[in-house]
Amino acid sequence: MVIILIQIIIVTVLLSLTIISAFRSNTFKNPITLINLWWGGWLLLSSFGFYHLFIPSTNTYLYILGNISFLTLGYLLVLGRGTVNSKQSYSKAFELKNLKLFNLVQLITLFIMLFFAIKGIKIMVTQNITPQEYRGYVFKGYLTDPLYGSNFIFLFIHYIVKGFILVNSMVCTFLYLLRKKYYRTFLISIANLLLLSAFMVSRIDIFRYIILILIFFFLARKLNLKLEVNINIISKKVLTYFSFMIIILFIVSYLRAGQVFKSILVYFTGPFIALDTFLEQYNIQPQIPLQFGRATLGGIDDIIVLIIRRFNDTIVSTNYKLSFLSDAISIGESQTYNAFYTMFVNFFIDGNVFGSLLISFFLGITISLLFVKTYTNPNIFVLTLFIYILHMVIFGSLRWEFSSGWSWIVLFLLVIYKKLFFKSSKNLNNFKGGKNLFNSC
């Protein structure tokens, strides 16, 4: 009881300092505020037990809040009372080179996705299977033959093609908002994203895209971006495509769960209940030993193990060891859930509570360093990289995306794009760090 009381006091103090820091600075233009509001909002909703969902235990709430607090501390440690002296708008730094080659890559991806989307529809119609059953063909390697034909094609689609689509959807949308001349390039990237979602009968990639765009608008004024698309009176065409994505998201939710709002609430609060179940079971009987980084870097671990297994098939990846997380568990009355356990389940598996707090702390430092870099060396590469990492932390309320190989492919492709397609830029702004830990930029 004393230990729990001490935990509550520590977490309360940390969160209070975080809130005070956020509101003493530029409030809703501060990335760490966005993270705290997102996590805090869904945590609050999870505590009401809507639709007869289970309510996570106090210890699980303390564990999550403690990690968010340490992430915030890491963020504030770098920025301190830092100030950014903006000399000029740097939107001119956002340009592409080798545009024809860039669009050619997109068109090749488009034809690949058209082929597989048509093939997927044909399988559903001819075999008379439900969307849920069809997803077994899409995501499970041992069912590759009817849809992909081989495991190599399965890996190619899920790693390389998906990586291309996600990189292009980010880059092309940001470029279009900053430069209207990239309108056609933007349309191709959106077509690819919609085909990917339709092919996989998945809402997660559309939701990811929406989060990325919302972060972009959230940071637009803070980053002094001069947009050619008016964000006060948004282009009707952009609004049309954005609305179409929302509709697709709702349709997929309806097809998979039948009740849209219940589906959304379960989708975003379920991970906290799942994490609670995992922590409770782990305290009784640890399912696997500590992995010391392999779970947090699961995507890299997958790729390395895939290569090693060519020579030694006894080696298995950490993700394989964690495959039991994909089993359905009960999170409420007549409600099951699987796969999403928040990003903190990966951190916990790597280092238990202490290791998890440490990983969160360094993640906060990484975000703040990228935030500064986005000011001091502005271009499409650093902007996309920063928003991508920031969205990973927000998306972490569902799961840790860096446990998937495609997420690292995205980073690898961004580096290639930097050399091949992105124009360089000079430092346009200055950054001065400060001494006060609890007064952020």
Side-chain angles (χ1 to χ4, degrees):
M1 183 65 183
V2 175
I3 294 176
I4 293 177
L5 182 61
I6 293 173
Q7 288 176 325
I8 292 174
I9 292 173
I10 291 174
V11 171
T12 301
V13 170
L14 289 173
L15 286 178
S16 298
L17 290 171
T18 299
I19 294 170
I20 292 171
S21 171
F23 278 84
R24 285 187 64 185
S25 59
N26 290 312
T27 314
F28 295 106
K29 291 183 285 184
N30 192 328
I32 201 63
T33 308
L34 178 62
I35 292 171
N36 284 316
L37 286 173
W38 175 265
W39 278 84
W42 291 116
L43 276 172
L44 180 63
L45 286 174
S46 72
S47 68
F48 289 101
F50 291 120
Y51 296 107
H52 304 290
L53 294 174
F54 298 147
I55 298 175
S57 67
T58 302
N59 285 340
T60 297
Y61 280 126
L62 287 174
Y63 172 69
I64 294 172
L65 291 173
N67 275 280
I68 293 297
S69 297
F70 270 77
L71 187 146
T72 303
L73 285 173
Y75 177 90
L76 297 177
L77 180 66
V78 171
L79 290 177
R81 292 181 60 188
T83 58
V84 177
N85 300 319
S86 179
K87 293 182 179 179
Q88 63 186 62
S89 170
Y90 51 74
S91 60
K92 291 182 180 179
F94 297 95
E95 295 285 353
L96 282 181
K97 58 184 179 181
N98 300 326
L99 184 58
K100 290 183 178 180
L101 178 60
F102 184 86
N103 283 334
L104 178 61
V105 172
Q106 288 217 92
L107 287 172
I108 292 172
T109 307
L110 180 68
F111 285 121
I112 291 173
M113 288 312 305
L114 271 174
F115 172 80
F116 282 99
I118 293 171
K119 191 174 182 180
I121 293 171
K122 184 178 178 181
I123 288 174
M124 278 194 286
V125 172
T126 57
Q127 298 188 19
N128 193 28
I129 60 176
T130 65
Q132 285 284 25
E133 292 170 332
Y134 168 74
R135 283 168 59 82
Y137 288 86
V138 174
F139 291 104
K140 297 180 180 179
Y142 59 83
L143 293 174
T144 56
D145 285 347
L147 186 59
Y148 302 101
S150 71
N151 197 52
F152 173 80
I153 300 298
F154 170 83
L155 294 173
F156 176 72
I157 295 296
H158 283 263
Y159 280 64
I160 307 300
V161 174
K162 183 175 181 177
F164 269 117
I165 291 174
L166 295 178
V167 168
N168 290 340
S169 65
M170 287 189 289
V171 170
C172 296
T173 302
F174 300 157
L175 284 172
Y176 169 64
L177 292 171
L178 294 163
R179 291 285 184 268
K180 281 187 176 180
K181 66 181 182 180
Y182 293 113
Y183 176 61
R184 290 186 179 86
T185 302
F186 162 72
L187 287 186
I188 300 172
S189 71
I190 296 303
N192 273 320
L193 185 64
L194 293 176
L195 280 172
L196 177 68
S197 180
F199 166 67
M200 295 188 171
V201 192
S202 173
R203 54 198 160 180
I204 198 167
D205 292 313
I206 290 181
F207 167 68
R208 177 182 291 107
Y209 175 80
I210 291 171
I211 289 294
L212 288 164
I213 302 309
L214 289 177
I215 293 174
F216 175 86
F217 284 124
F218 180 89
L219 296 173
R221 289 181 62 189
K222 179 70 175 177
L223 296 174
N224 196 28
L225 297 176
K226 185 178 180 181
L227 307 183
E228 290 190 3
V229 174
N230 193 327
I231 62 174
N232 295 318
I233 305 175
I234 297 178
S235 164
K236 290 182 179 179
K237 293 179 180 178
V238 174
L239 185 59
T240 299
Y241 289 112
F242 194 77
S243 299
F244 186 59
M245 286 192 166
I246 296 290
I247 292 170
I248 292 293
L249 189 64
F250 273 70
I251 289 173
V252 173
S253 294
Y254 178 77
L255 287 173
R256 292 178 56 184
Q259 299 181 42
V260 174
F261 294 106
K262 178 182 178 181
S263 174
I264 291 173
L265 189 67
V266 170
Y267 197 68
F268 291 109
T269 63
F272 305 125
I273 308 170
L275 178 64
D276 182 60
T277 300
F278 170 83
L279 293 176
E280 182 181 353
Q281 293 177 350
Y282 194 90
N283 286 330
I284 299 172
Q285 177 63 50
Q287 291 91 330
I288 63 172
L290 295 182
Q291 295 297 294
F292 302 104
R294 289 184 64 186
T296 302
L297 304 177
I300 293 179
D301 185 64
D302 270 352
I303 295 171
I304 293 174
V305 169
L306 190 65
I307 296 172
I308 294 176
R309 284 182 63 85
R310 294 281 183 180
F311 310 98
N312 184 356
D313 60 6
T314 62
I315 303 296
V316 296
S317 68
T318 295
N319 281 334
Y320 179 82
K321 297 175 185 177
L322 294 174
S323 58
F324 66 88
L325 296 180
S326 296
D327 297 335
I329 62 171
S330 175
I331 63 169
E333 293 183 12
S334 303
Q335 182 65 59
T336 59
Y337 201 80
N338 72 325
F340 291 1
Y341 285 71
T342 80
M343 66 184 184
F344 297 130
V345 75
N346 295 73
F347 300 176
F348 184 90
I349 289 167
D350 274 337
N352 214 304
V353 175
F354 177 77
S356 181
L357 295 176
L358 196 62
I359 293 171
S360 296
F361 181 74
F362 282 106
L363 183 58
I365 291 176
T366 301
I367 295 170
S368 57
L369 289 173
L370 286 172
F371 190 34
V372 172
K373 185 68 173 178
T374 307
Y375 273 102
T376 57
N377 188 22
N379 54 58
I380 189 63
F381 172 74
V382 293
L383 175 67
T384 304
L385 179 61
F386 173 57
I387 292 179
Y388 180 66
I389 299 297
L390 188 58
H391 117 276
M392 285 294 195
V393 179
I394 292 173
F395 217 79
S397 65
L398 294 175
R399 67 182 181 188
W400 181 237
E401 293 288 61
F402 279 121
S403 63
S404 300
W406 64 261
S407 61
W408 296 96
I409 295 295
V410 167
L411 293 180
F412 177 69
L413 289 173
L414 271 176
V415 173
I416 292 177
Y417 277 29
K418 181 183 179 183
K419 300 293 183 182
L420 197 59
F421 299 121
F422 298 159
K423 292 185 177 180
S424 61
S425 62
K426 298 179 181 179
N427 288 7
L428 300 179
N429 303 314
N430 294 324
F431 173 80
K432 288 186 177 181
K435 297 179 179 180
N436 188 344
L437 179 63
F438 298 108
N439 194 352
S440 67
C441 172

